[in-house]
Amino acid sequence: MLAEKKKVTKDTLIGDAIKNVPGARAVIEKHFGNGCFTCPGINVESISFGAMMHNLDPDKIVAEINAAQEG
């Protein structure tokens, strides 16, 4: 049985992406730094919010996460 791939959007919570999407952790660390992994905000903050806080393009981050899980 194949695992269902989760489509990540700008509204996806950072923590959900890290937990559920292979490769997302590396992309989050690349753009947001490793401080995200100890911040409780990842359970309530979206990728869009994190991108805004780091002055980054959320579409670029989402595209990288989705590409990473494609292989």
Side-chain angles (χ1 to χ4, degrees):
M1 184 165 143
L2 296 174
E4 182 180 331
K5 291 182 179 172
K6 308 261 185 212
K7 181 72 175 172
V8 174
T9 70
K10 294 187 289 188
D11 296 324
T12 301
L13 297 180
I14 296 168
D16 288 347
I18 292 168
K19 284 185 264 184
N20 299 319
V21 180
R25 182 180 180 94
V27 175
I28 296 296
E29 184 173 15
K30 172 184 168 185
H31 291 286
F32 299 159
N34 63 3
C36 273
F37 305 118
T38 58
C39 176
I42 65 171
N43 296 310
V44 295
E45 295 172 356
S46 66
I47 292 172
S48 181
F49 181 82
M52 179 187 67
M53 296 303 293
H54 291 272
N55 198 30
L56 299 169
D57 179 4
D59 293 321
K60 179 179 178 182
I61 296 166
V62 167
E64 283 189 39
I65 291 172
N66 285 320
Q69 76 170 321
E70 292 297 321

